Amino acid sequence: MMLRTPALFGALLGALAAPAVAAAADRECAQSPGKVIEVCVFTRDGGAFYEVSRGGKPVLAPAPLGLTFAGEPAARITGLTAARRDASDTTWEQPWGEQRTIRDNHAELTVSLAGDTALNKTFDVTFRLFDDGLGFRYAYGAIPAGTSVAVTDERTAFKPVGAYDAWWYEGLGQERDEYLYKQTDARRITLAETPLTLKRTDAPKQGEGGLYLSFHEAALVDFPSMLLAGDGAGTLKARLMPWQDGTLAKKTGPFTTPWRTVLIGETAGALADSRIELNLNEPSKIADTSWIKPGKYVGIWWEMHLEKSTWGSGPKHGATTANTKRYMDFAAKYGFDGVLVEGWNEGWDGDWIANGDKFSFTKAYPDFDLKGVTDYGKAKGVKLIGHNETAGAVPNYEAQLEDAMTLYESVGISQVKTGYVRHSGTILDQQGEKQWFAGQYMVRHNLRVAEVAARHHVSIDAHEPVKDTGLRRTWPNMLAREGARGQEFNAWGDPTNPPEHTVILPFTRMLAGPMDFTPGIFDVVHGKADLTRRGQSTLAVQLALYVVLYSPIQMAADLPENYEARPDAFQFIRDVPTDWEVSKTLQGEIGDYIVVARQSRGGKDWFLGALTDETARKLTQKLDFLAPGKRYEAQIYADGPGANYVTNTTALAISKKVVTSKDSLDLDMAPGGGTAVRFRALD
Ligand code: NOJ
Ligand code: CA
């Protein structure tokens, strides 16, 4: 039964106690703390719907809510039976991150809905409203403990009002999330991964800013990851990565789904600077996080991608004791924290992608002395970074996980890079059933690895991962992930990343969390004449990426000799930190350009990274983010005379000048170029 609540009675209830519980009206609305965003929920024609406006103007038209379960029809929603309101304004601190303190200022509205099927008889939807967007999630709290249910459909949809362009790639492709983005009319989306970013294209009225949206999810735990399917008319409907039998999620007893999130901003940079993703995750489950360290690393890695050495054993084996010590000497000399070594363990010989179940995660090749190199590193203050390529043979990895992490902890390895190189949808589980790379099975696996690793004080950098959903707040040992086309594509070609790729990522993939892109390739050409088979950027770009693409762990990915050949440029990589007090996206358009500034955590220096696409671009940047009244030495690494991403990638102009917050800086970027700046505090 639905009760109508007179407005006055509702207001009285609200004044009496918080959270306020009221018998619901048939339409319940709530506003964000600054009254910027409003959501309304209502039932109509047997369905439950929500709609969103910003500044009084509709942004998302009414779209359905709810889940459907196996064994029963899609429920008719018969009423909105209760509404509960709450608000919270807190600040919390990240153990590491792009921003030390994060404010979580939100209003909350929970509505209870009644449906006409057994499992949908009653369920809740909770909305959290921030001034820069919202999240909502379902709670099926009435499912009896011990009762197994299977989700067969999520009805959630997003219906943007107006015309939009989208940056996206086809979901469920065999290379998972490693695709180039295409920009199209949002109505042309067939199936897109999230975060999915949209920009409004119908001209805003005079005086109005632009409008940018990002759809994603937060706190993806024990549930399949969400894709969005387009209907050709602009509606985007949730599509969850299924199990092999078509079931989407398997749950037992009462459960809550991940948050579905919408970021809403007037600039592309506002999306990048939103902290909703983190705020919608639970606080850390790791009590003592002091062992989790951001940092910079080098590695026996690029040389394999350039085919100078091999992962497998033999005369060109890269992961030898001697080679590792060489990299450790280099790391110690130039102040790096770690050395990643790939191909150290048995299982790489032959077709390793097909034979992932042959990988050992504890047995080193005979020419790699695990204890010898970790001891050698210890004496120099350099850690070995472990590598667990699974080739998607998850049961083989899970069977060894505890032993492997125990071993790594015993020799002082505190970071492990994992990998799941296998075509999406062909991972075989313990029952021999095929699994998608980010279905519920892999989401569970992902967390299991983090949990076991945490017990052994090991942090994880996952490649070919389940996409990030802000879980690093809850599991701060989930340091970084890949989950997009990284630098490695600039070794392989087919084709390499075009200049616009790294000015799309900050507004798309990066909205999910840190990426292990592996910047810093100085010799982007590496002997290849064909532009599509080598890196398409200038040297200044390779420096700016350390600031633009946030990760708490950043690799200096090139060969040591290429750094020693350019000590001038290398100085920036040596100086740039990976842990920040504050981060700000100062300018940017998706796929065109970006300017980001970050202040070193616990320090006074600021760093700036700017990138352009294939078009040369001059930007003026106000330095008003610097501390007022203080002087800084700006160390500017700009594109040199004649620099461009096609014929002259290495021209770099380094200059220095004293600036204050009252100054502006002209950024003069070459085609496929950029600028990196360190502002060294003088006062
Ligand atoms: C793909 C990863 O992205 C790359 O970094 C790694 O070197 C290879 N897999 C081998 O594990
Ligand atoms: Ca990869």
Side-chain angles (χ1 to χ4, degrees), residues 178 463-464 482 488:
E178 298 182 17
H463 278 233
E464 299 78 49
E482 192 186 41
E488 61 191 19

Side-chain angles (χ1 to χ4, degrees), residues 178 301 305 311 342 348 352 387 389 417 419 421 463-464 482 488 492:
E178 298 182 17
W301 181 75
H305 288 276
W311 282 273
E342 297 198 357
W348 288 95
W352 57 266
H387 184 233
E389 173 56 65
K417 171 177 168 179
V421 174
H463 278 233
E464 299 78 49
E482 192 186 41
E488 61 191 19
W492 313 333

Side-chain angles (χ1 to χ4, degrees), residues 302 304-308 488-494 496 523-536 645-647 649:
W302 189 242
M304 273 93 91
H305 288 276
L306 295 184
E307 297 177 359
K308 288 180 185 296
E488 61 191 19
F489 279 83
N490 298 333
W492 313 333
D494 203 20
T496 48
D523 179 17
V524 289
V525 176
H526 53 79
K528 301 265 172 62
D530 180 351
L531 183 63
T532 66
R533 295 189 61 78
R534 49 84 158 174
Q536 304 183 40
Y645 73 101
V646 183
T647 59
T649 61

Side-chain angles (χ1 to χ4, degrees), residues 175-375:
E175 300 304 330
R176 305 160 305 275
D177 290 319
E178 298 182 17
Y179 287 96
L180 292 175
Y181 289 81
K182 52 189 169 187
Q183 177 185 355
T184 73
D185 185 315
R187 287 171 301 189
R188 286 183 51 206
I189 291 172
T190 47
L191 185 63
E193 259 289 11
T194 70
L196 172 64
T197 303
L198 271 58
K199 175 185 175 180
R200 191 153 183 182
T201 52
D202 41 354
K205 291 198 196 84
Q206 230 174 359
E208 286 181 358
L211 199 63
Y212 295 79
L213 307 177
S214 168
F215 302 109
H216 190 39
E217 54 186 316
L220 174 57
V221 176
D222 198 17
F223 213 69
S225 81
M226 181 183 75
L227 302 144
L228 292 173
D231 69 348
T235 297
L236 299 160
K237 183 184 175 299
R239 166 115 34 108
L240 306 183
M241 267 189 211
W243 293 82
Q244 194 174 302
D245 65 2
T247 300
L248 305 180
K250 300 178 182 180
K251 303 295 293 184
T252 302
F255 72 91
T256 304
T257 67
W259 296 93
R260 278 65 187 93
T261 60
V262 188
L263 307 184
I264 309 174
E266 289 185 3
T267 61
L271 303 183
D273 291 350
S274 171
R275 308 291 176 231
I276 287 180
E277 192 68 25
L278 286 165
N279 278 330
L280 290 176
N281 274 271
E282 298 294 321
S284 177
K285 287 193 191 290
I286 302 174
D288 172 15
T289 56
S290 59
W291 53 272
I292 305 170
K293 302 264 192 246
K296 283 180 286 192
Y297 69 103
V298 293
I300 301 180
W301 181 75
W302 189 242
E303 58 175 70
M304 273 93 91
H305 288 276
L306 295 184
E307 297 177 359
K308 288 180 185 296
S309 63
T310 58
W311 282 273
S313 62
K316 283 175 70 183
H317 188 211
T320 63
T321 301
N323 201 21
T324 305
K325 288 182 175 172
R326 182 171 74 93
Y327 274 83
M328 284 181 160
D329 291 345
F330 178 85
K333 184 169 174 193
Y334 295 108
F336 289 87
D337 307 285
V339 174
L340 165 73
V341 179
E342 297 198 357
W344 67 276
N345 58 319
E346 286 188 358
W348 288 95
D349 296 307
D351 184 352
W352 57 266
I353 300 179
N355 298 309
D357 54 352
K358 303 284 185 299
F359 274 122
S360 166
F361 300 102
T362 51
K363 277 177 85 180
Y365 277 123
D367 54 354
F368 184 79
D369 175 4
L370 179 64
K371 182 88 172 66
V373 295
T374 48
D375 284 350

